[in-house]
Amino acid sequence: MPPKPPSRPDRISLWARARLFRENVLAAQPERLYGAWMAEFRTPFFRSFLINQPELLTLVLKARPEDFPKADRLSEGLAPLLGQSVFQTNGALWARQRRIIDPAFAGGRLKDTVPAMQAAARASVARLAAQQGPVDIEAETSHFAADVIFRTLFSLPIEDGTAQRTFQLFRAYQRAQPILTAGALIPRPRWLRRRPPAEARHLAAEIRALIRQLTETRMAEIRAGTAPDDLATKIMTTVDPQTGQGFGIEEMVDQVAIFFLAGHETSASALSWALYLLAVHPDWQARAAAEARAGVPGLAGLGHRRLIRDIFRETLRLYPPLPMVLREARCPVHLRGRRVPRGAQVVISPWHLHRHRLLWDNPDGFDPARWQSANGQRGLRDAFLPFLAGPRVCLGAGFAMIEGQLFLCEVLSALELAPVPGRVPVPVSHLTLRSGQGIWLQLRPRGLDDDVAAPGDCHPPGSSVN
């Protein structure tokens, strides 16, 4: 079975629970959450409700999202870096920001980002092919995802001096500022906020200074009529249709910071787990490699590579990059007959939802074929939230799906993956879902006959999914 942290017993001491929270938030949750529609947690200080029932998720995320605004506890520690980015805001400010940003990520616009994604993927494959011995694949997927962000946003490869320095600072920031901790999940008075570590605040200031430099340079290029037609130019030349105003420099710095942090972190997490799952399932890997080598390259070919799409979906199901998100009840409400008071915390946990025993067959197993079954289609509709849903659905969801499939195609076409004996990754929550000790793989060039698999051990690459 793919690795999964053990659950805690239902009844443990407060001290033991606090210790588990410090070590791994996922391991601090009881096993019953994988079969519950809703669970309530009470303390003398706050009440928290975790919801898994599809109808409740629809209510909170789609039907009444304004009554369940985003809680800021998960992200308050990120404020020195992200400022008033679209990740941080609620209400009218958030709506204005989305009206300006969304056109850059519309479906027709995404096709323009594919050449940059492919260039980054091929550069990644070249780096991997040159390495000897075991490779920490998390480090490489992080490098690749950062390269994609810089190429698509500012038309710069990561080898550019400013891009390289920004990437190095972000790597240090990831280590200095975890997001999912016990403190992040515990409500506190507004006057008692978590203060980010001093190192994280210093790194955030350095990162923002570099992003400001890139943004000011791009603004000057736009005025001179020499700006490249990339995502930064698109966003910086779009105005809110309701106000006629676009982003100023500081507001654009806020948005670029979250594009990099969210887009880079989530993609790196998903891709590292995808490569690990393929490494420990060589039959699926062989089928996927055959599919990757067949047909036309690029965006046009992805529509015919359904197995690779389903492998990426299955990875997102088992290892959602954001394992938990928080909402807050703006007014009293009843959920499943229980009164949820104003200010109560509502937890949406893709980690538990995607492994829920009442919603998925073989919930802890790696089975890309499930997406062709009735159970998989039901799950896709009701219980698959790697990018959340509703008005606050991740604006980069389509971008991430294209990026992930293109990367897997390039890697599988060129390289064979194998696990390193004795090194089994354990999922832990940092900024995203990562392994505590890295994800180590063995790589070797794939020969022309390496992609042959026995018939019948996976579904045919050309099978359709409606």
Side-chain angles (χ1 to χ4, degrees):
M1 284 289 184
K4 170 186 171 184
S7 300
R8 70 164 173 84
D10 260 351
R11 297 183 180 277
I12 58 173
S13 69
L14 186 62
W15 173 256
R17 188 179 304 181
R19 178 179 56 80
L20 285 172
F21 261 109
R22 286 194 301 270
E23 294 173 357
N24 187 351
V25 170
L26 297 179
Q29 310 304 318
E31 181 68 21
R32 62 187 171 88
L33 297 186
Y34 294 103
W37 289 132
M38 187 172 83
E40 180 180 357
F41 300 90
R42 292 186 182 218
T43 77
F45 312 104
F46 71 93
R47 292 171 70 182
S48 182
F49 298 82
L50 182 142
I51 57 173
N52 283 324
Q53 188 176 16
E55 292 79 4
L56 297 184
L57 294 166
T58 297
L59 175 74
V60 170
L61 295 175
K62 297 179 182 180
R64 294 171 57 186
E66 69 282 354
D67 290 336
F68 298 93
K70 186 173 185 178
D72 61 3
R73 283 180 293 279
L74 277 184
S75 57
E76 64 185 14
L78 303 175
L81 174 64
L82 302 183
Q84 289 292 297
S85 76
V86 70
F87 183 75
Q88 303 280 92
T89 54
N90 279 306
L93 177 57
W94 168 84
R96 170 184 170 271
Q97 292 171 338
R98 284 296 295 251
R99 289 194 298 268
I100 296 172
I101 295 170
D102 282 354
F105 291 90
R109 181 74 185 182
L110 285 180
K111 69 178 187 299
D112 298 334
T113 66
V114 170
M117 291 181 185
Q118 284 188 300
R122 288 165 183 164
S124 178
V125 169
R127 285 190 299 270
L128 288 170
Q131 298 193 43
Q132 302 291 324
V135 174
D136 181 2
I137 209 67
E138 281 192 329
E140 179 50 46
T141 58
S142 184
H143 193 285
F144 160 74
D147 197 9
V148 168
I149 293 294
F150 278 112
R151 288 176 189 261
T152 58
L153 197 59
F154 285 109
S155 299
L156 292 174
I158 200 170
E159 289 76 17
D160 172 85
T162 303
Q164 185 67 24
R165 178 60 179 157
T166 306
F167 172 59
Q168 291 168 352
L169 289 170
F170 260 103
R171 292 286 284 171
Y173 182 85
Q174 291 165 346
R175 294 187 290 270
Q177 178 60 64
I179 185 172
L180 190 53
T181 64
L185 294 174
I186 298 175
R188 296 172 302 287
R190 292 197 176 276
W191 54 267
L192 184 61
R193 290 304 194 190
R194 278 190 307 148
R195 185 169 173 81
E199 181 185 4
R201 297 197 304 272
H202 174 74
L203 291 167
E206 283 196 71
I207 293 168
R208 287 185 65 87
L210 289 171
I211 294 174
R212 188 176 297 107
Q213 176 185 329
L214 289 169
T215 304
E216 289 173 345
T217 299
R218 176 53 53 85
M219 187 66 78
E221 292 172 340
I222 291 171
R223 291 183 183 127
T226 60
D229 185 24
D230 51 24
L231 292 177
T233 296
K234 177 65 175 176
I235 293 168
M236 293 172 72
T237 56
T238 299
V239 298
D240 177 9
Q242 294 188 14
T243 67
Q245 299 295 312
F247 289 144
I249 292 293
E250 286 305 307
E251 199 168 10
M252 187 63 187
V253 171
D254 293 345
Q255 309 314 326
V256 171
I258 189 55
F259 295 155
F260 195 99
L261 185 67
H264 156 249
E265 261 287 307
T266 54
S267 293
S269 170
L271 290 172
S272 58
W273 287 110
L275 294 181
Y276 173 77
L277 289 168
L278 287 166
V280 297
H281 293 89
D283 51 346
W284 287 109
Q285 182 184 163
R287 285 289 189 186
E291 185 180 81
R293 291 182 168 190
V296 297
L299 185 61
L302 291 185
H304 302 285
R305 294 188 170 99
R306 297 183 179 92
L307 173 56
I308 289 174
R309 178 201 60 193
D310 289 348
I311 286 171
F312 195 50
R313 279 179 176 169
E314 185 71 344
T315 301
L316 291 170
R317 185 187 70 82
L318 286 169
Y319 299 105
L322 291 177
M324 290 185 181
V325 296
L326 301 184
R327 295 291 187 261
E328 187 173 289
R330 195 182 64 172
C331 52
V333 64
H334 283 81
L335 301 179
R336 289 185 62 82
R338 299 186 194 181
R339 184 179 183 274
V340 178
R342 179 179 181 273
Q345 180 170 275
V346 178
V347 182
I348 299 167
S349 175
W351 174 265
H352 292 95
L353 177 70
H354 291 182
R355 294 170 180 263
H356 201 282
R357 292 189 293 268
L358 301 180
L359 294 168
W360 300 94
D361 297 334
N362 186 21
D364 291 326
F366 177 68
D367 180 17
R370 78 171 69 247
W371 299 100
Q372 294 187 59
S373 69
N375 179 253
Q377 291 302 299
R378 178 198 176 199
L380 188 63
R381 183 182 65 251
D382 296 334
F384 185 61
L385 295 178
F387 306 109
L388 295 184
R392 290 202 78 125
V393 66
C394 173
L395 60 88
F399 184 100
M401 289 300 296
I402 294 171
E403 175 190 15
Q405 293 174 78
L406 285 173
F407 179 76
L408 293 179
C409 282
E410 293 291 339
V411 171
L412 293 170
S413 293
L415 300 169
E416 183 178 2
L417 317 168
V420 175
R423 288 192 168 183
V424 178
V426 177
V428 296
S429 290
H430 293 299
L431 283 171
T432 51
L433 190 70
R434 293 298 190 101
S435 167
Q437 302 297 325
I439 296 178
W440 293 85
L441 300 180
Q442 294 275 9
L443 310 175
R444 74 174 181 90
R446 186 176 292 281
L448 292 178
D449 59 347
D450 287 346
D451 55 3
V452 176
D457 52 358
C458 302
H459 70 279
S463 298
S464 62
V465 180
N466 296 323

